[in-house]
Amino acid sequence: MKGICILGATGSIGVSTLDVVARHPHLYKVVALTANKNIDALFEQCLAHSPEVVVIVDEQKATEFKLKIENSPLANLKVLTGADALVEVSTLPNVDSVMAAIVGAAGLLPTLAAAEAGKTVLLANKEALVMSGDIFMNAVEKSGAQLLPIDSEHNAIFQCMPASYQTGVSAKGVRRILLTASGGPFRTMPLEQLPQVTPAQAVAHPNWDMGKKISVDSATMMNKGLEMIEACLLFNMKPEQIQVVLHPQSVIHSMVDYVDGTVLAQMGCPDMRIPIAHALAYPERFESGASPLDIFAVKHMDFEPADLVRFPCLRLAYEAITAGGTMPAVLNAANEIAVEAFLNEQIRFTDIPVVIEKTMQQIPVQKGDSLEKILEMDSKARVIANHAIQNLAN
Ligand code: NAD
Ligand code: MG
């Protein structure tokens, strides 16, 4: 029986993780759940999964939650608050596995702490890895933590790697990675219509049901840019070895191209419970609850290269990883600010890459060799991105 901590339990990945865990109660015990503000969803999850401890980052919401559980079956539940408590629960001695499913930079410290503590880290939070890069991968190597990718593409690549492959090392015989992308909701929209798209249109992904931030990232293809950087780090590859492939059906979740001409692909329905179940059961397999793939219904699959004019965010991600050091953290922070401003209707969809590029131009690259420096660059990028947004709005 393994103990699991789910960081970001109330989000899209968190909910899917609990769905899979509940199918295997003899294998996993839920030790800790965390949420930012959504105490109603967390309350229901606690009733269903009986964790020992919860973290509600927002202090006011934590106080409300304590009142809510007073005369309920959850009266004895331990409730913690504040961002430091995330680190506390992700390193508890009875936690074996940590699902890192907080969105954005807020997930960095608890995810890194889990890696340093030698936990099995199920990594959904790509922003944490993009920001901290080598620091994170070195922490995994030093502690002997098992790092298993949850992002569907990286989980697919991991599954197509040679037997007993460990993340962080370059696999023998691999020529390149074919990183698939659906192309999001605006793949074929005439370019002149893009400035007018609304947050509701951007969030409505054709194939996947996800949180708002990653849905906007999928529409700009910054998601694929972050995933390209994620792939370089997880599989120790160079950016030029990662080929982005538009595949609108989202049946193949990525491919590995070997030097002998073999290409291995992982396929399945677009359901995040598949990579989650793969990582939870690893190295074995168990049921995920996902429907089997109906290959006859798929009929055909299309592949095309990504258009960097339509998707400038993807170009910016290649530029950031090529610059290296602190630049991916700057890219990520500026993107988080720009996406939020777009969702709040402060800027247009096509302003997102403009804000990111302006921010990247104003912050010279430095070595990404300390966490302090990375967090400093993250804060700086947020300030500059906010300035760029004000200038656009005026
Ligand atoms: P979501 O918005 O649905 O959920 C985010 C979770 O993080 C929630 O539980 C929320 O309470 C918590 N959270 C938000 N801000 C926080 C803060 N400041 N402090 C602490 N907790 C905070 O997001 P999601 O779609 O589940 O995505 C989570 C992560 O997984 C992202 O990094 C995303 O890129 C990655 N991912 C998601 C999918 C998917 O299908 N949803 C696929 C691949 C990767
Ligand atoms: Mg993905």
PDB file of all heavy atoms in Angstrom, residues 126 151-153 223-224 227, ligand 2:
ATOM      1  N   LYS A 126       4.230  21.126 -15.624  1.00  0.00           N
ATOM      2  CA  LYS A 126       5.375  21.349 -16.526  1.00  0.00           C
ATOM      3  C   LYS A 126       6.074  22.672 -16.246  1.00  0.00           C
ATOM      4  O   LYS A 126       7.270  22.805 -16.450  1.00  0.00           O
ATOM      5  CB  LYS A 126       4.912  21.260 -17.984  1.00  0.00           C
ATOM      6  CG  LYS A 126       3.918  22.307 -18.413  1.00  0.00           C
ATOM      7  CD  LYS A 126       3.275  21.954 -19.757  1.00  0.00           C
ATOM      8  CE  LYS A 126       2.041  21.107 -19.577  1.00  0.00           C
ATOM      9  NZ  LYS A 126       1.452  20.580 -20.773  1.00  0.00           N
ATOM     10  N   ASP A 151       2.280  14.425 -18.214  1.00  0.00           N
ATOM     11  CA  ASP A 151       1.873  15.088 -19.451  1.00  0.00           C
ATOM     12  C   ASP A 151       1.742  13.984 -20.504  1.00  0.00           C
ATOM     13  O   ASP A 151       2.644  13.146 -20.638  1.00  0.00           O
ATOM     14  CB  ASP A 151       2.978  16.099 -19.834  1.00  0.00           C
ATOM     15  CG  ASP A 151       2.413  17.318 -20.529  1.00  0.00           C
ATOM     16  OD1 ASP A 151       1.296  17.222 -21.061  1.00  0.00           O
ATOM     17  OD2 ASP A 151       3.096  18.357 -20.539  1.00  0.00           O
ATOM     18  N   SER A 152       0.638  13.963 -21.244  1.00  0.00           N
ATOM     19  CA  SER A 152       0.345  12.781 -22.082  1.00  0.00           C
ATOM     20  C   SER A 152       1.461  12.512 -23.093  1.00  0.00           C
ATOM     21  O   SER A 152       1.811  11.356 -23.338  1.00  0.00           O
ATOM     22  CB  SER A 152      -0.985  12.966 -22.800  1.00  0.00           C
ATOM     23  OG  SER A 152      -0.970  14.145 -23.559  1.00  0.00           O
ATOM     24  N   GLU A 153       2.048  13.592 -23.642  1.00  0.00           N
ATOM     25  CA  GLU A 153       3.108  13.411 -24.645  1.00  0.00           C
ATOM     26  C   GLU A 153       4.351  12.785 -24.016  1.00  0.00           C
ATOM     27  O   GLU A 153       4.953  11.879 -24.591  1.00  0.00           O
ATOM     28  CB  GLU A 153       3.491  14.761 -25.269  1.00  0.00           C
ATOM     29  CG  GLU A 153       2.396  15.437 -26.068  1.00  0.00           C
ATOM     30  CD  GLU A 153       1.324  16.106 -25.220  1.00  0.00           C
ATOM     31  OE1 GLU A 153       1.472  16.129 -23.971  1.00  0.00           O
ATOM     32  OE2 GLU A 153       0.342  16.612 -25.788  1.00  0.00           O
ATOM     33  N   ASN A 223       1.765  25.840 -24.923  1.00  0.00           N
ATOM     34  CA  ASN A 223       1.790  24.536 -24.252  1.00  0.00           C
ATOM     35  C   ASN A 223       2.810  23.620 -24.921  1.00  0.00           C
ATOM     36  O   ASN A 223       3.597  22.954 -24.252  1.00  0.00           O
ATOM     37  CB  ASN A 223       0.397  23.906 -24.268  1.00  0.00           C
ATOM     38  CG  ASN A 223       0.356  22.599 -23.499  1.00  0.00           C
ATOM     39  OD1 ASN A 223       0.831  22.524 -22.364  1.00  0.00           O
ATOM     40  ND2 ASN A 223      -0.166  21.554 -24.117  1.00  0.00           N
ATOM     41  N   LYS A 224       2.818  23.612 -26.261  1.00  0.00           N
ATOM     42  CA  LYS A 224       3.774  22.732 -26.958  1.00  0.00           C
ATOM     43  C   LYS A 224       5.193  23.243 -26.767  1.00  0.00           C
ATOM     44  O   LYS A 224       6.131  22.466 -26.671  1.00  0.00           O
ATOM     45  CB  LYS A 224       3.405  22.649 -28.447  1.00  0.00           C
ATOM     46  CG  LYS A 224       3.672  21.331 -29.093  1.00  0.00           C
ATOM     47  CD  LYS A 224       3.222  20.100 -28.319  1.00  0.00           C
ATOM     48  CE  LYS A 224       1.760  20.063 -27.965  1.00  0.00           C
ATOM     49  NZ  LYS A 224       1.386  18.853 -27.168  1.00  0.00           N
ATOM     50  N   GLU A 227       6.224  22.138 -23.471  1.00  0.00           N
ATOM     51  CA  GLU A 227       6.432  20.676 -23.545  1.00  0.00           C
ATOM     52  C   GLU A 227       7.721  20.323 -24.276  1.00  0.00           C
ATOM     53  O   GLU A 227       8.362  19.319 -23.965  1.00  0.00           O
ATOM     54  CB  GLU A 227       5.238  20.021 -24.248  1.00  0.00           C
ATOM     55  CG  GLU A 227       3.995  20.066 -23.387  1.00  0.00           C
ATOM     56  CD  GLU A 227       2.813  19.309 -23.971  1.00  0.00           C
ATOM     57  OE1 GLU A 227       2.918  18.800 -25.103  1.00  0.00           O
ATOM     58  OE2 GLU A 227       1.784  19.227 -23.299  1.00  0.00           O
TER      59      GLU A 227
HETATM   60 MG    MG B   2       0.440  17.657 -22.962  1.00  0.00          MG
END
